[in-house]
Coordinates of all heavy atoms in Angstrom, one line a residue:
M1 N 0.8 -1.2 0.0 CA 0.0 0.0 0.0 C 0.9 1.2 0.0 O 1.9 1.3 0.7 CB -0.9 0.0 1.2 CG -1.9 1.1 1.3 SD -3.0 1.1 2.7 CE -3.9 -0.4 2.4
S2 N 0.6 2.2 -0.9 CA 1.4 3.4 -0.9 C 1.2 4.3 0.3 O 0.3 4.1 1.1 CB 1.0 4.2 -2.2 OG -0.2 4.9 -1.9
Q3 N 2.2 5.2 0.5 CA 2.1 6.0 1.7 C 0.9 6.9 1.7 O 0.2 7.1 2.7 CB 3.4 6.9 1.7 CG 3.5 7.8 3.0 CD 4.7 8.6 3.0 OE1 5.4 8.7 2.0 NE2 5.0 9.2 4.1
L4 N 0.5 7.4 0.5 CA -0.7 8.3 0.5 C -2.0 7.4 0.8 O -2.8 7.9 1.5 CB -0.9 8.9 -0.9 CG -2.1 9.8 -1.1 CD1 -2.2 10.9 -0.1 CD2 -2.1 10.3 -2.5
S5 N -2.1 6.2 0.2 CA -3.2 5.4 0.5 C -3.3 5.1 2.0 O -4.4 5.0 2.6 CB -3.1 4.1 -0.3 OG -3.2 4.3 -1.6
E6 N -2.2 4.8 2.6 CA -2.2 4.5 4.1 C -2.6 5.7 4.9 O -3.4 5.6 5.8 CB -0.7 4.1 4.5 CG -0.6 3.8 6.0 CD -1.5 2.6 6.4 OE1 -1.8 1.8 5.6 OE2 -1.8 2.6 7.6
R7 N -2.2 6.9 4.5 CA -2.6 8.2 5.2 C -4.1 8.4 5.0 O -4.8 8.8 5.9 CB -1.8 9.4 4.7 CG -0.4 9.4 5.2 CD 0.4 10.7 4.9 NE -0.4 11.7 4.3 CZ 0.1 12.5 3.3 NH1 1.3 12.2 2.8 NH2 -0.6 13.5 2.8
L8 N -4.6 8.1 3.8 CA -6.0 8.3 3.5 C -6.8 7.3 4.3 O -7.9 7.6 4.8 CB -6.3 8.1 2.0 CG -6.0 9.3 1.2 CD1 -6.1 9.0 -0.3 CD2 -6.8 10.6 1.5
R9 N -6.3 6.1 4.5 CA -7.0 5.0 5.2 C -7.2 5.4 6.7 O -8.2 5.1 7.3 CB -6.3 3.7 5.1 CG -7.1 2.5 5.6 CD -6.3 1.2 5.5 NE -5.1 1.2 6.3 CZ -5.1 1.1 7.7 NH1 -6.2 0.9 8.3 NH2 -3.9 1.0 8.3
R10 N -6.2 6.0 7.3 CA -6.3 6.4 8.7 C -6.4 7.9 9.0 O -6.0 8.3 10.0 CB -5.1 5.7 9.4 CG -3.8 6.0 8.9 CD -2.7 5.2 9.6 NE -1.5 5.5 9.0 CZ -0.7 6.6 9.2 NH1 -1.1 7.5 10.1 NH2 0.4 6.8 8.6
R11 N -6.9 8.6 8.0 CA -7.0 10.1 8.1 C -8.0 10.5 9.2 O -8.9 9.8 9.5 CB -7.3 10.7 6.8 CG -8.7 10.4 6.3 CD -8.8 10.8 4.9 NE -10.0 10.4 4.3 CZ -10.4 9.2 3.9 NH1 -9.5 8.3 4.0 NH2 -11.6 9.0 3.4
D12 N -7.8 11.7 9.8 CA -8.7 12.3 10.7 C -8.9 13.7 10.3 O -8.3 14.6 10.8 CB -8.1 12.3 12.1 CG -9.0 13.0 13.1 OD1 -10.2 13.1 12.9 OD2 -8.5 13.4 14.2
I13 N -9.8 13.9 9.3 CA -10.0 15.2 8.7 C -10.7 16.1 9.7 O -10.5 17.3 9.7 CB -10.8 15.2 7.4 CG1 -12.1 14.6 7.6 CG2 -10.0 14.4 6.4 CD1 -13.2 15.5 7.3
N14 N -11.5 15.5 10.6 CA -12.2 16.4 11.6 C -11.3 17.0 12.6 O -11.6 18.0 13.2 CB -13.4 15.6 12.2 CG -14.4 15.2 11.3 OD1 -14.7 16.0 10.4 ND2 -15.0 14.1 11.4
G15 N -10.2 16.3 12.9 CA -9.2 16.8 13.8 C -8.6 18.1 13.3 O -8.5 19.1 14.0
A16 N -8.4 18.2 12.0 CA -7.9 19.5 11.4 C -8.9 20.6 11.5 O -8.6 21.7 11.7 CB -7.5 19.2 9.9
C17 N -10.2 20.2 11.3 CA -11.3 21.2 11.3 C -11.5 21.7 12.7 O -11.9 22.8 13.0 CB -12.6 20.6 10.7 SG -12.5 20.5 9.0
R18 N -11.4 20.8 13.7 CA -11.7 21.2 15.1 C -10.6 22.2 15.6 O -10.9 23.0 16.5 CB -11.6 20.0 16.0 CG -13.0 19.3 16.1 CD -12.9 18.2 17.2 NE -13.1 17.0 16.5 CZ -12.2 16.0 16.5 NH1 -11.1 16.1 17.2 NH2 -12.4 14.9 15.9
R19 N -9.5 22.2 15.0 CA -8.4 23.2 15.4 C -8.6 24.6 14.8 O -8.0 25.5 15.3 CB -7.0 22.7 15.0 CG -6.6 21.5 15.8 CD -5.2 21.1 15.5 NE -5.0 20.6 14.1 CZ -5.1 19.4 13.7 NH1 -5.4 18.5 14.6 NH2 -4.9 19.1 12.5
S20 N -9.5 24.7 13.8 CA -9.7 26.0 13.2 C -11.0 26.7 13.8 O -11.9 26.0 14.1 CB -9.8 25.9 11.7 OG -10.8 25.0 11.3
P21 N -11.0 28.0 13.9 CA -12.0 28.7 14.6 C -13.3 29.0 13.7 O -14.3 29.3 14.3 CB -11.4 30.1 14.9 CG -10.4 30.3 13.8 CD -9.9 28.9 13.5
G22 N -13.3 28.8 12.4 CA -14.5 29.1 11.6 C -15.6 28.1 11.7 O -15.5 27.1 12.3
H23 N -16.7 28.4 10.9 CA -17.8 27.5 10.8 C -17.4 26.5 9.7 O -16.8 26.8 8.7 CB -19.0 28.3 10.3 CG -20.2 27.5 9.9 ND1 -20.9 26.8 10.7 CD2 -20.7 27.3 8.6 CE1 -21.9 26.2 10.0 NE2 -21.7 26.5 8.7
H24 N -17.9 25.2 9.9 CA -17.5 24.1 9.0 C -18.8 23.6 8.3 O -19.8 23.4 8.9 CB -16.8 23.0 9.7 CG -15.6 23.5 10.4 ND1 -15.5 23.8 11.7 CD2 -14.4 23.8 9.9 CE1 -14.3 24.3 12.0 NE2 -13.6 24.3 10.9
A25 N -18.6 23.3 7.0 CA -19.8 22.7 6.2 C -19.2 21.9 5.1 O -18.0 22.0 4.9 CB -20.6 23.9 5.7
S26 N -20.0 21.2 4.4 CA -19.6 20.6 3.2 C -19.7 21.5 2.0 O -20.5 22.5 2.1 CB -20.4 19.3 2.9 OG -21.7 19.6 2.5
I27 N -19.1 21.2 0.9 CA -19.2 22.1 -0.3 C -20.7 22.1 -0.8 O -21.2 23.2 -1.2 CB -18.3 21.6 -1.4 CG1 -16.8 21.8 -1.0 CG2 -18.6 22.3 -2.7 CD1 -15.8 21.3 -2.0
A28 N -21.4 21.0 -0.6 CA -22.8 21.0 -1.0 C -23.7 21.9 -0.2 O -24.7 22.4 -0.7 CB -23.3 19.5 -0.9
D29 N -23.3 22.2 1.0 CA -24.0 23.2 1.9 C -23.8 24.6 1.5 O -24.5 25.5 2.0 CB -23.7 22.9 3.3 CG -24.1 21.5 3.8 OD1 -25.1 21.0 3.2 OD2 -23.4 21.0 4.7
L30 N -22.8 24.9 0.8 CA -22.5 26.3 0.4 C -23.5 26.9 -0.6 O -24.0 26.2 -1.4 CB -21.1 26.4 -0.2 CG -19.9 26.0 0.7 CD1 -18.6 26.1 -0.2 CD2 -19.8 26.9 1.9
A31 N -23.7 28.2 -0.5 CA -24.6 28.9 -1.5 C -23.7 29.2 -2.7 O -22.5 29.2 -2.6 CB -25.1 30.1 -0.9
V32 N -24.3 29.4 -3.8 CA -23.6 29.7 -5.0 C -22.9 31.0 -4.8 O -23.4 32.0 -4.3 CB -24.6 29.8 -6.2 CG1 -23.8 30.3 -7.5 CG2 -25.2 28.5 -6.5
G33 N -21.6 31.1 -5.1 CA -20.8 32.2 -4.9 C -20.0 32.2 -3.5 O -19.1 33.0 -3.3
E34 N -20.4 31.4 -2.6 CA -19.8 31.3 -1.3 C -18.6 30.3 -1.4 O -18.6 29.4 -2.2 CB -20.8 30.7 -0.3 CG -20.3 30.8 1.1 CD -21.4 30.4 2.1 OE1 -22.4 29.8 1.7 OE2 -21.2 30.6 3.3
G35 N -17.6 30.6 -0.6 CA -16.4 29.7 -0.6 C -15.9 29.5 0.7 O -16.4 29.9 1.8
G36 N -14.8 28.7 0.8 CA -14.1 28.4 2.0 C -12.8 27.8 1.8 O -12.3 27.6 0.7
R37 N -12.2 27.3 2.9 CA -10.9 26.7 2.9 C -11.1 25.2 3.1 O -11.8 24.8 4.1 CB -10.0 27.3 3.9 CG -8.5 26.7 3.9 CD -7.7 27.5 5.0 NE -8.3 27.3 6.3 CZ -8.0 26.3 7.1 NH1 -7.1 25.3 6.7 NH2 -8.5 26.2 8.3
V38 N -10.6 24.3 2.3 CA -10.8 22.9 2.4 C -10.1 22.4 3.7 O -8.9 22.7 4.0 CB -10.2 22.1 1.2 CG1 -10.2 20.6 1.4 CG2 -10.9 22.5 -0.1
C39 N -10.9 21.6 4.5 CA -10.3 21.0 5.7 C -9.9 19.5 5.4 O -8.9 19.1 5.9 CB -11.4 20.9 6.8 SG -11.7 22.5 7.5
G40 N -10.7 18.9 4.5 CA -10.3 17.5 4.1 C -11.5 16.8 3.5 O -12.5 17.3 3.2
V41 N -11.2 15.5 3.3 CA -12.2 14.6 2.7 C -12.7 13.6 3.7 O -11.9 13.0 4.5 CB -11.6 13.8 1.5 CG1 -12.5 12.9 0.9 CG2 -11.0 14.8 0.5
C42 N -14.0 13.4 3.8 CA -14.6 12.6 4.9 C -14.3 11.1 4.7 O -13.9 10.7 3.6 CB -16.0 12.9 5.1 SG -17.1 12.2 3.8
D43 N -14.6 10.3 5.7 CA -14.3 8.9 5.6 C -15.5 8.1 5.0 O -15.4 6.9 5.0 CB -14.1 8.3 7.0 CG -12.8 8.8 7.6 OD1 -11.9 9.0 6.9 OD2 -12.8 9.0 8.9
L44 N -16.5 8.7 4.4 CA -17.6 8.0 3.8 C -17.2 7.5 2.4 O -17.9 6.6 1.9 CB -18.8 9.0 3.6 CG -19.4 9.5 4.9 CD1 -20.5 10.5 4.6 CD2 -19.9 8.4 5.8
L45 N -16.2 8.0 1.8 CA -15.7 7.5 0.5 C -14.7 6.4 0.6 O -14.0 6.2 1.6 CB -15.0 8.7 -0.2 CG -15.8 9.8 -0.7 CD1 -14.9 10.9 -1.2 CD2 -16.8 9.4 -1.7
R46 N -14.7 5.6 -0.4 CA -13.6 4.5 -0.5 C -12.3 5.3 -0.6 O -12.2 6.4 -1.1 CB -13.9 3.7 -1.8 CG -15.1 2.9 -1.8 CD -15.2 2.0 -3.0 NE -14.6 2.5 -4.2 CZ -15.2 3.1 -5.2 NH1 -16.5 3.3 -5.1 NH2 -14.6 3.6 -6.2
P47 N -11.2 4.7 -0.1 CA -9.9 5.3 -0.2 C -9.5 5.7 -1.6 O -8.9 6.8 -1.8 CB -9.0 4.3 0.4 CG -9.8 3.5 1.3 CD -11.2 3.4 0.6
D48 N -9.8 4.9 -2.6 CA -9.5 5.3 -4.0 C -10.2 6.5 -4.5 O -9.7 7.4 -5.2 CB -9.6 4.2 -5.0 CG -11.0 3.6 -5.0 OD1 -11.7 3.7 -4.0 OD2 -11.4 3.1 -6.1
A49 N -11.5 6.7 -4.1 CA -12.3 7.9 -4.4 C -11.8 9.1 -3.7 O -11.7 10.2 -4.2 CB -13.8 7.6 -4.1
A50 N -11.4 8.9 -2.4 CA -10.9 10.0 -1.6 C -9.6 10.5 -2.2 O -9.3 11.7 -2.3 CB -10.7 9.6 -0.2
R51 N -8.8 9.5 -2.6 CA -7.5 9.9 -3.2 C -7.7 10.6 -4.5 O -6.9 11.6 -4.8 CB -6.7 8.6 -3.5 CG -5.3 8.8 -4.1 CD -4.6 7.6 -4.4 NE -3.3 7.8 -4.8 CZ -2.3 6.9 -4.8 NH1 -2.5 5.7 -4.3 NH2 -1.1 7.3 -5.2
R52 N -8.7 10.3 -5.3 CA -9.0 11.0 -6.6 C -9.3 12.4 -6.3 O -8.9 13.4 -7.0 CB -10.1 10.3 -7.3 CG -10.5 11.0 -8.6 CD -9.5 10.8 -9.6 NE -9.9 11.4 -10.9 CZ -9.2 12.1 -11.7 NH1 -7.9 12.3 -11.5 NH2 -9.7 12.6 -12.8
L53 N -10.1 12.7 -5.3 CA -10.5 14.1 -4.9 C -9.2 14.9 -4.5 O -9.1 16.0 -4.8 CB -11.5 14.1 -3.8 CG -12.9 13.6 -4.3 CD1 -13.9 13.6 -3.1 CD2 -13.5 14.6 -5.3
V54 N -8.4 14.2 -3.7 CA -7.1 14.9 -3.3 C -6.3 15.2 -4.6 O -5.7 16.3 -4.7 CB -6.3 14.0 -2.3 CG1 -4.9 14.6 -2.1 CG2 -7.1 13.9 -1.0
D55 N -6.2 14.2 -5.5 CA -5.5 14.4 -6.8 C -6.0 15.6 -7.6 O -5.3 16.3 -8.3 CB -5.4 13.2 -7.6 CG -4.6 12.1 -7.0 OD1 -3.8 12.4 -6.1 OD2 -4.8 10.9 -7.4
L56 N -7.3 15.8 -7.5 CA -8.0 16.9 -8.2 C -7.7 18.3 -7.6 O -8.0 19.3 -8.2 CB -9.5 16.7 -8.3 CG -9.9 15.6 -9.3 CD1 -11.4 15.3 -9.2 CD2 -9.6 16.0 -10.7
G57 N -7.2 18.3 -6.4 CA -6.8 19.6 -5.8 C -7.6 19.9 -4.5 O -7.4 20.9 -3.9
F58 N -8.4 19.0 -4.0 CA -9.1 19.2 -2.7 C -8.2 18.8 -1.5 O -8.4 17.9 -0.8 CB -10.4 18.4 -2.6 CG -11.4 18.9 -3.7 CD1 -11.6 18.2 -4.9 CD2 -12.1 20.0 -3.5 CE1 -12.5 18.6 -5.8 CE2 -13.0 20.5 -4.4 CZ -13.2 19.8 -5.6
I59 N -7.1 19.6 -1.4 CA -6.1 19.4 -0.4 C -6.4 20.4 0.8 O -6.7 21.6 0.5 CB -4.7 19.7 -1.0 CG1 -4.5 18.8 -2.2 CG2 -3.6 19.6 0.1 CD1 -3.3 19.2 -3.0
P60 N -6.2 20.0 2.0 CA -6.5 20.9 3.1 C -5.7 22.2 3.0 O -4.5 22.2 2.6 CB -6.0 20.1 4.4 CG -6.2 18.7 4.0 CD -5.9 18.6 2.5
G61 N -6.4 23.3 3.2 CA -5.8 24.7 3.0 C -6.1 25.3 1.7 O -5.9 26.5 1.5
T62 N -6.6 24.6 0.7 CA -6.9 25.1 -0.6 C -8.2 25.8 -0.6 O -9.2 25.4 0.0 CB -7.0 24.0 -1.7 OG1 -5.7 23.2 -1.6 CG2 -7.2 24.5 -3.0
T63 N -8.3 26.9 -1.3 CA -9.5 27.7 -1.4 C -10.4 27.1 -2.4 O -10.0 26.8 -3.5 CB -9.2 29.2 -1.7 OG1 -8.4 29.7 -0.7 CG2 -10.5 30.0 -1.8
V64 N -11.7 27.0 -2.1 CA -12.7 26.5 -3.0 C -13.9 27.4 -3.0 O -14.3 28.0 -1.9 CB -13.1 25.1 -2.6 CG1 -13.7 25.0 -1.3 CG2 -14.0 24.5 -3.7
V65 N -14.5 27.7 -4.2 CA -15.7 28.5 -4.3 C -16.7 27.8 -5.1 O -16.4 27.3 -6.2 CB -15.4 29.9 -5.0 CG1 -16.7 30.7 -5.2 CG2 -14.4 30.6 -4.2
K66 N -18.0 27.7 -4.7 CA -19.1 27.1 -5.4 C -19.5 28.1 -6.5 O -20.1 29.1 -6.2 CB -20.2 26.7 -4.5 CG -21.3 25.9 -5.1 CD -22.3 25.5 -4.1 CE -23.4 24.6 -4.6 NZ -24.3 24.2 -3.5
Q67 N -19.3 27.7 -7.8 CA -19.6 28.7 -8.9 C -21.1 28.6 -9.3 O -21.7 29.6 -9.5 CB -18.7 28.3 -10.1 CG -17.3 28.6 -9.8 CD -17.0 30.0 -9.7 OE1 -17.6 30.9 -10.3 NE2 -16.0 30.3 -8.8
R68 N -21.6 27.4 -9.5 CA -23.0 27.2 -9.9 C -23.4 25.8 -9.7 O -22.6 24.9 -9.5 CB -23.2 27.6 -11.4 CG -22.3 26.8 -12.4 CD -22.4 27.4 -13.8 NE -21.5 26.8 -14.7 CZ -20.2 27.1 -14.8 NH1 -19.7 28.1 -14.2 NH2 -19.4 26.5 -15.7
E69 N -24.8 25.6 -9.7 CA -25.3 24.2 -9.6 C -26.5 24.1 -10.5 O -27.1 25.1 -10.9 CB -25.7 23.9 -8.1 CG -26.7 24.8 -7.5 CD -27.0 24.5 -6.0 OE1 -26.4 23.5 -5.5 OE2 -27.7 25.2 -5.4
D70 N -26.9 22.8 -10.8 CA -28.0 22.6 -11.7 C -29.3 22.9 -10.9 O -29.3 23.0 -9.7 CB -28.0 21.2 -12.3 CG -28.3 20.1 -11.3 OD1 -28.3 20.4 -10.1 OD2 -28.4 19.0 -11.8
A71 N -30.4 22.9 -11.6 CA -31.7 23.2 -11.0 C -32.2 22.2 -10.0 O -33.0 22.5 -9.1 CB -32.8 23.4 -12.1
F72 N -31.7 21.0 -10.1 CA -32.1 19.9 -9.3 C -31.2 19.7 -8.1 O -31.5 18.9 -7.2 CB -32.3 18.6 -10.0 CG -33.3 18.8 -11.2 CD1 -32.8 18.8 -12.5 CD2 -34.6 18.9 -11.0 CE1 -33.7 18.9 -13.6 CE2 -35.5 19.1 -12.0 CZ -35.0 19.1 -13.3
G73 N -30.1 20.4 -8.1 CA -29.1 20.2 -7.0 C -28.3 19.0 -7.0 O -27.7 18.6 -6.0
K74 N -28.2 18.3 -8.2 CA -27.5 17.0 -8.2 C -26.0 17.2 -8.6 O -25.2 16.3 -8.3 CB -28.2 16.1 -9.2 CG -29.5 15.6 -8.7 CD -30.1 14.6 -9.6 CE -31.4 14.0 -9.0 NZ -32.0 12.9 -9.8
T75 N -25.7 18.2 -9.4 CA -24.3 18.5 -9.7 C -24.0 20.0 -9.5 O -24.9 20.8 -9.5 CB -24.1 18.1 -11.2 OG1 -25.0 18.9 -12.0 CG2 -24.3 16.7 -11.5
M76 N -22.7 20.3 -9.5 CA -22.3 21.7 -9.3 C -20.9 21.9 -9.9 O -20.2 20.9 -10.1 CB -22.3 22.0 -7.8 CG -21.3 21.2 -7.0 SD -21.6 21.3 -5.2 CE -23.2 20.4 -5.1
V77 N -20.6 23.1 -10.1 CA -19.3 23.5 -10.6 C -18.6 24.3 -9.5 O -19.2 25.2 -8.9 CB -19.3 24.3 -11.9 CG1 -18.0 24.8 -12.3 CG2 -20.0 23.5 -13.0
V78 N -17.4 23.9 -9.1 CA -16.6 24.6 -8.1 C -15.3 25.0 -8.6 O -14.8 24.4 -9.5 CB -16.4 23.7 -6.8 CG1 -17.7 23.3 -6.2 CG2 -15.7 22.4 -7.2
D79 N -14.8 26.1 -8.1 CA -13.5 26.6 -8.5 C -12.5 26.2 -7.4 O -12.7 26.6 -6.2 CB -13.5 28.1 -8.6 CG -12.2 28.7 -9.0 OD1 -11.3 28.6 -8.1 OD2 -12.1 29.3 -10.1
V80 N -11.5 25.4 -7.7 CA -10.5 24.9 -6.8 C -9.2 25.5 -7.2 O -8.7 25.0 -8.3 CB -10.5 23.4 -6.7 CG1 -9.4 22.9 -5.7 CG2 -11.8 22.8 -6.4
A81 N -8.6 26.4 -6.5 CA -7.3 27.0 -6.8 C -7.2 27.4 -8.3 O -6.3 27.2 -9.0 CB -6.2 26.0 -6.5
G82 N -8.3 28.1 -8.8 CA -8.3 28.6 -10.2 C -8.8 27.6 -11.2 O -8.8 28.0 -12.4
C83 N -9.1 26.4 -10.9 CA -9.6 25.4 -11.9 C -11.1 25.1 -11.6 O -11.4 24.9 -10.4 CB -8.8 24.1 -11.8 SG -7.1 24.3 -12.2
E84 N -11.9 25.1 -12.6 CA -13.3 24.7 -12.5 C -13.5 23.2 -12.6 O -13.0 22.6 -13.6 CB -14.2 25.5 -13.5 CG -14.3 26.9 -13.1 CD -15.3 27.6 -14.0 OE1 -15.8 27.0 -15.0 OE2 -15.7 28.8 -13.7
L85 N -14.1 22.6 -11.6 CA -14.4 21.2 -11.6 C -15.9 20.9 -11.4 O -16.5 21.6 -10.6 CB -13.6 20.5 -10.5 CG -12.1 20.6 -10.6 CD1 -11.5 20.1 -9.3 CD2 -11.6 19.8 -11.8
A86 N -16.4 19.9 -12.0 CA -17.8 19.5 -11.8 C -17.8 18.4 -10.8 O -17.0 17.5 -10.8 CB -18.4 19.0 -13.1
L87 N -18.7 18.5 -9.8 CA -18.9 17.5 -8.8 C -20.3 17.0 -8.7 O -21.2 17.8 -8.9 CB -18.5 18.0 -7.4 CG -17.0 18.3 -7.1 CD1 -16.9 19.0 -5.8 CD2 -16.2 17.1 -7.2
R88 N -20.5 15.8 -8.4 CA -21.8 15.3 -8.0 C -22.1 15.8 -6.5 O -21.2 16.0 -5.8 CB -21.9 13.8 -8.1 CG -21.8 13.3 -9.4 CD -21.9 11.7 -9.4 NE -21.7 11.2 -10.8 CZ -20.5 10.7 -11.1 NH1 -19.6 10.5 -10.3 NH2 -20.4 10.2 -12.4
N89 N -23.4 15.9 -6.2 CA -23.7 16.3 -4.8 C -23.2 15.3 -3.8 O -22.7 15.7 -2.7 CB -25.3 16.3 -4.7 CG -25.7 17.0 -3.4 OD1 -25.0 17.9 -2.9 ND2 -26.8 16.6 -2.9
A90 N -23.2 14.0 -4.1 CA -22.6 13.0 -3.1 C -21.1 13.3 -2.9 O -20.6 13.1 -1.7 CB -22.9 11.6 -3.6
Q91 N -20.4 13.6 -3.9 CA -19.0 13.9 -3.7 C -18.8 15.2 -3.0 O -17.9 15.3 -2.1 CB -18.3 14.0 -5.1 CG -18.3 12.8 -5.9 CD -17.8 13.0 -7.3 OE1 -18.2 14.0 -8.0 NE2 -17.0 12.2 -7.9
A92 N -19.5 16.2 -3.3 CA -19.4 17.5 -2.6 C -19.7 17.4 -1.1 O -19.2 18.1 -0.3 CB -20.3 18.5 -3.3
R93 N -20.6 16.5 -0.7 CA -20.9 16.3 0.7 C -19.8 15.7 1.5 O -19.8 15.8 2.7 CB -22.2 15.4 0.8 CG -23.4 16.1 0.4 CD -24.6 15.7 1.2 NE -25.8 16.5 0.8 CZ -26.0 17.7 1.3 NH1 -25.1 18.3 2.1 NH2 -27.0 18.4 0.9
C94 N -18.9 15.1 0.8 CA -17.7 14.4 1.4 C -16.5 15.3 1.5 O -15.4 14.9 2.0 CB -17.4 13.2 0.7 SG -18.6 11.9 0.9
I95 N -16.6 16.6 1.1 CA -15.5 17.5 1.2 C -15.8 18.6 2.2 O -16.8 19.4 2.0 CB -15.2 18.2 -0.1 CG1 -14.8 17.1 -1.2 CG2 -14.0 19.1 0.0 CD1 -14.8 17.6 -2.6
T96 N -15.1 18.6 3.3 CA -15.4 19.6 4.4 C -14.6 20.9 4.2 O -13.4 20.8 3.9 CB -15.0 19.0 5.8 OG1 -15.6 17.7 5.9 CG2 -15.4 19.8 6.9
V97 N -15.3 22.0 4.4 CA -14.6 23.3 4.2 C -14.9 24.2 5.5 O -15.9 24.0 6.2 CB -15.1 24.1 3.0 CG1 -14.7 23.3 1.7 CG2 -16.6 24.3 3.0
E98 N -14.0 25.0 5.7 CA -14.1 26.0 6.8 C -14.6 27.3 6.1 O -14.0 27.8 5.2 CB -12.8 26.3 7.5 CG -12.8 27.4 8.5 CD -11.5 27.7 9.0 OE1 -10.5 27.3 8.5 OE2 -11.4 28.6 10.0
V99 N -15.7 27.8 6.6 CA -16.3 29.0 6.0 C -16.0 30.2 7.0 O -16.3 30.0 8.2 CB -17.9 28.9 5.9 CG1 -18.5 30.1 5.3 CG2 -18.2 27.6 5.0
P100 N -15.5 31.3 6.5 CA -15.2 32.4 7.4 C -16.4 33.0 8.0 O -17.4 33.0 7.6 CB -14.4 33.4 6.5 CG -14.6 32.9 5.1 CD -15.1 31.6 5.1

């Protein structure tokens, strides 16, 4: 098992969020135009799916802004460090952000 996979398997993303003073939510909970700083990826995902989100740029400390979402709330576009990415609602619920 690679070092990154091992870290993802035993990660504690809530520990990082508990140390910061702001309000915490998932990306799915943000309003369009609202943003925050990524705290981490939750344990609800398989390790390979969590690793993919990390590879896409959802790294703790990275700024993310919800750009737009579809009329049904099933997909959304987010800006992660200057790159626009499309996410399903289920994926967005697994990314925790600190909202100022």
Side-chain angles (χ1 to χ4, degrees):
M1 185 178 293
S2 73
Q3 184 180 11
L4 179 58
S5 295
E6 180 63 25
R7 283 187 11 222
L8 285 172
R9 188 180 65 75
R10 53 186 176 79
R11 66 193 176 280
D12 176 22
I13 61 115
N14 293 325
C17 288
R18 273 189 246 117
R19 290 189 293 271
S20 56
H23 167 71
H24 302 99
S26 71
I27 291 177
D29 297 330
L30 298 176
V32 173
E34 191 176 12
R37 186 177 58 88
V38 174
C39 289
V41 178
C42 75
D43 290 329
L44 298 176
L45 291 173
R46 295 184 328 262
D48 59 328
R51 181 180 186 163
R52 178 70 176 141
L53 290 175
V54 170
D55 290 344
L56 287 172
F58 295 99
I59 300 167
T62 304
T63 302
V64 62
V65 177
K66 187 174 185 179
Q67 296 291 326
R68 57 190 175 272
E69 62 184 353
D70 71 352
F72 303 108
K74 292 187 177 185
T75 60
M76 63 197 67
V77 175
V78 296
D79 181 293
V80 181
C83 296
E84 288 189 347
L85 299 171
L87 290 177
R88 293 181 186 102
N89 191 32
Q91 294 169 320
R93 290 214 171 281
C94 290
I95 303 169
T96 308
V97 295
E98 176 189 7
V99 182

